[in-house]
Amino acid sequence: MTSAFKLNPEQLKAVEHGEGPLLIIAGPGSGKTRVITQRIVHLLTGAGSAVEEPGLLPDFPTPAGRSEEYSGAGIQPENILALTFTEKAAREMQRRVREALPELEALPHISTFHAFCYEVLRKRHFERTLLDKVDVWIFLRQRMESLGLQFYQKLAEPGAFLHSLNDFFSRCQDELIEPADFERYAEAMDREFQELSPSLDAAERTLMQQDIQKKQELARVFRNSRKLIEEAGSSSLGSLIPETVRLFDREPEVLESYRQLFRYVLVDEFQDTNYAQVELLKRLVKPPLSITAVGDDDQAIYRFRGASHGAFKMFDEAFPGHETVFLDTNFRSTKRILRAAEVLIAKNDRYQAKPHLQTSREEGAPVYLLQSPDFLSEAAWMADEVARLIQHGTPPGDIAVLYRAHGYRDPLVEQFRRRKIPFAIRGLSILSTVILRDLVAYLNIIHSPHDTVSLTRVLLTPRWNFPEDLALEARKQASRDHCSLCDVLESWGRSGAANRLEGTGWPELRRLLGELHKYAEHASVTALLERLIGRLELSFLPQDHDGAYVEAFRKFLEKWEGKSESRELGSFWEYFQYFREAGGQIEAPEPENSARAVQMMSVHAAKGLEFPVVFILSVAPRRFPHSEQKAVIEFPEALRKGPPPPANIHEQEERRLLYVGLTRAEDRLYVSSVAKSGKKPSLFISDLASNPTVEARDLERIQVPEAPPETVEAPRMQPVPRERPSAPKPQGSLFGDATGASGIHPPLNEWASHTFVIKPEEKLQLSASAIETYDACPQKFMFSHYMKIPTGPQAALTFGNIMHQCARRYFELRRQGPVQFEQLQVHFEQIWKGAGFEDDYQEQAYKKAGLEQLRVFVSRHETVTMLPLAAEAHFSLDLGDVVLEGRIDQINPLPDHSVELVDYKTGRPPSQKDADKSLQLSVYALAARDQMHLNPTRLTFYSLTNNEAVRTVRTPKDLDLVVGEIHEVATQIRKQLFPPQPGFACKYCDYELICPAHEESL
Ligand code: SF4
């Protein structure tokens, strides 16, 4: 059987290995999956072990009492356990075994570690709902009050630490650390502190105490979250392996039945195992330890998912005396590609010396090392080269572009679009596709008609024929009246302004939303989606991407309905908000025509794949190797059970990742570096060029010229005159003859590039916060300042407003005499508003924190004798082409007749650097000096959070510079430059749903 697959001698040795432990170190492209499946086939069909009684084979081993039946009677499928890490890999292994042995009635047990453990536990009456990472986040977010959080919580974003906490607990579980173990660890730390305490100074004592309190909190939350999850009849994915290990330790007879049954255990991608998984294997495999581990330490790239860096060392210890087979024949790449890849990976520490990769392939083309001056030139050159290759006959699907992080592909995507090069992005979430953003906007306003951002998106659709100037007028009124866009349109409809809505689609849209809102009161959310699609008259052709995305969303809804009690829109909406906040993604199905398009994906996603042509994008400092992101909650080294990591573990893992990327290439490989002239390239570029022989023989450097501006300029940088949307076709059908989803897509790009009339003589009215918004993201500034799109209340703003009012009230009361905290408390309770809080937990947490902060505020100010000169002092400072507007929170007199300007802060206490750089304080100082004719010698951020003041000053020169910066911003605004600046802040931006930077129109 095995010879039919033309195995080479090393492969054959691995496949035909007898009993006892075997480690197969399989280089890239060396036929690892073939070997592991052929080994299974060989075990099943080897001498005297053909599948004889397939009828006896169960779906899954029934452990108790079966061992005798099978012992010594040849290898039956149920005697084989093959474990891997992903469902996809498990399915592929099953497929190959089935293909090799079509007559087999039942397959061996081939699954992921997690699925195997779940089955083992389920057979012990373990009926639990499994929670993945996002599920755990949502579960804990809904039970925040029961967790016992103190340090690890953020008022403005209650779920901010939940992923970090869950990652930490998973990390503990990977090391088989239980809540009780961690409690003991925290207690030991505390005992040590008590002993050391007398010898410590105050600062050291405080630091150590805080550290211990944090550890105690971790122990508490670990225990509480575990208890909550179990009481709800659930289990986190991360807990399955430790729970199975515990079961085996607690019930040796159960373990023994599995040990008897699984005479051969095979593990694929062994380099990705962690301590808990190795412990599980140690228990499962009985003498003569017939375990086969296949993997490659050079391709260990999943440390972030919990893989240990030292899996093979653990294998040595767990299964001593194992045989090692190296699969060092690469069937994939040319010699030059392999030599270049080996030069890179040789810079890493490796498990043990291994033979060089061999190949019978030709020398091949050189490895092209591109050097670009910037990312846009890189993208332009690369797109030209891809176009050239396609023109010369390379099918687009043979070309892959790999990148370290998804955000890096954007300039190249733009260049592909310009050249009409077909491309398909793997790992895309459907939630960023236009059709889903459209449907989500509709569902938003069905659920809450006052969601102005969603209604703005929907009204932009040409079908609703709602002119932008009318929409702008309505939004302006909504901003002025502090109400929603829907409120304004409703009020126009009721009043004499109704005629303004004539000819627009608003009456029809309003009827549709009303009908669907009513329907949603009793229908399931999937039924609602169906009806919405029906009412919008959307139909999708089989090859239409949008249809596949909608189908994936429908499945997501169905899955949620399976877990939900109510299945209605209201509960779905709460879940969906959390799902988004937790970073949940719904992966897009692979497009039908992806084989005819250039493949774009992260290097991680490319593992296991191969392409004739590979481009590695942006091997640049801080991009590749990627900057290290340390875990927010570090796992204590003292608790580590596996081998200690090397000091430069991050750099080594990044190098392995690039090695994985390089070795995906069969024939042509381009490695693209970006560095300005005179600047150092990425460390990995130096690594690749570190062997003079290989550099001279195998690498070819290409200097990419700087692309001309017209090639690279992002179209959104320039204002584009807005085209008025065309009117709908006046058929009986609501949407005329529209098919597909194009009829509901808003022209976001054109709309967001809207130009405004700003007369040269008109003074721009700006505030410090408006300028800061422009600096952070001009597009956001435009949405709020010119588009006048009101957003809903936000908890942090509501709270900040209340606390400002309380501080002001305090000084009003002080003018009448001493102030008690209780007086301020009464005021606080009176002005409290529930607007914008995510839920009761957040509101109560804010309330509690606010009262505590005010209590300290009162006590800190008891001895203050100088009362403020003014509070909330309004200014309107004319700077020529700009008028600066604002209010100074408080002006205090100083003994030398100068003044202190105070800005109260809630939220994260500002640092000294924040104060020194603050535009707001600079603007205060300018207004106080130039309009109020005061002498501001002290500028203060007063944090109500910790009741600490941070002080700074501004010199006249500083203020001149600030005026210059303000004029610079004004010039940009007059030029109407409002490019989006996508980045981390987008997560908190209310305009994300209407922001063109987030629209993946593929
Ligand atoms: S989503 Fe991001 S890029 Fe878009 S407007 Fe908001 S901050 Fe700017």
Side-chain angles (χ1 to χ4, degrees), residues 393-592:
T394 308
D398 281 3
I399 302 173
V401 177
L402 312 182
Y403 33 79
R404 176 64 183 84
H406 286 281
Y408 302 162
R409 68 169 176 250
D410 292 347
L412 186 59
V413 164
E414 181 61 35
Q415 296 297 325
F416 279 172
R417 281 201 181 114
R418 286 172 178 226
R419 290 162 182 75
K420 302 206 174 353
I421 294 171
F423 62 91
I425 300 175
R426 291 200 190 198
L428 189 75
S429 169
I430 60 164
L431 295 176
S432 59
T433 61
V434 178
I435 180 70
L436 254 298
R437 286 160 65 82
D438 289 333
L439 291 175
V440 165
Y442 274 100
L443 290 173
N444 271 341
I445 48 175
I446 293 167
H447 177 247
S448 167
H450 300 288
D451 180 337
T452 295
V453 171
S454 295
L455 184 55
T456 298
R457 182 178 176 105
V458 169
L459 280 180
L460 271 171
T461 310
R463 308 285 183 186
W464 298 115
N465 191 34
F466 205 94
E468 173 57 16
D469 43 6
L470 194 60
L472 181 60
E473 207 182 318
R475 294 196 303 261
K476 275 184 182 165
Q477 184 175 331
S479 281
R480 261 195 323 270
D481 298 352
H482 302 289
C483 64
S484 70
L485 176 58
C486 177
D487 285 332
V488 172
L489 298 180
E490 288 284 358
S491 74
W492 285 2
R494 284 193 303 267
S495 71
N499 57 345
R500 302 162 90 176
L501 297 170
E502 268 173 26
T504 72
W506 169 247
E508 189 65 56
L509 174 61
R510 185 174 172 273
R511 260 195 302 281
L512 174 70
L513 296 176
E515 179 216 314
L516 293 173
H517 186 80
K518 216 165 169 31
Y519 182 69
E521 283 169 10
H522 53 83
S524 72
V525 68
T526 41
L528 175 67
L529 179 72
E530 286 303 325
R531 184 165 285 210
L532 172 65
I533 288 172
R535 290 289 187 269
L536 294 176
E537 297 179 9
L538 301 179
S539 58
F540 304 101
L541 299 171
Q543 71 274 18
D544 198 340
H545 293 184
D546 283 345
Y549 299 150
V550 171
E551 190 48 37
F553 188 56
R554 198 196 317 269
K555 283 192 183 137
F556 171 76
L557 295 181
E558 272 169 11
K559 197 170 158 206
W560 171 78
E561 283 180 358
K563 306 188 267 194
S564 152
E565 280 164 22
S566 82
R567 302 169 68 223
E568 284 169 5
L569 183 62
S571 355
F572 172 72
W573 223 242
E574 182 189 309
Y575 170 82
F576 195 56
Q577 299 312 313
Y578 285 147
F579 181 81
R580 301 296 302 268
E581 204 180 327
Q585 306 277 333
I586 309 170
E587 196 168 323
E590 210 173 298
E592 295 271 313

Side-chain angles (χ1 to χ4, degrees), residues 330-340 357-367 612 665-669 697-698:
N330 177 294
F331 300 96
R332 180 183 297 154
S333 310
T334 62
K335 288 191 173 64
R336 283 170 133 170
I337 291 171
L338 289 184
R339 285 196 295 259
L357 290 173
Q358 308 293 322
T359 181
S360 57
R361 287 210 54 193
E362 68 281 12
E363 284 286 308
V367 172
E666 296 171 358
D667 306 322
R668 281 176 93 85
L669 172 63
R697 184 181 46 187
D698 301 322

Side-chain angles (χ1 to χ4, degrees), residues 777 779-780 783 980-983 985-986 989-992 995-998:
C777 178
Q779 179 81 81
K780 185 175 180 182
F783 284 149
Q981 292 288 328
C986 297
C989 177
D990 289 322
Y991 301 120
E992 194 266 352
C995 176
H998 291 266

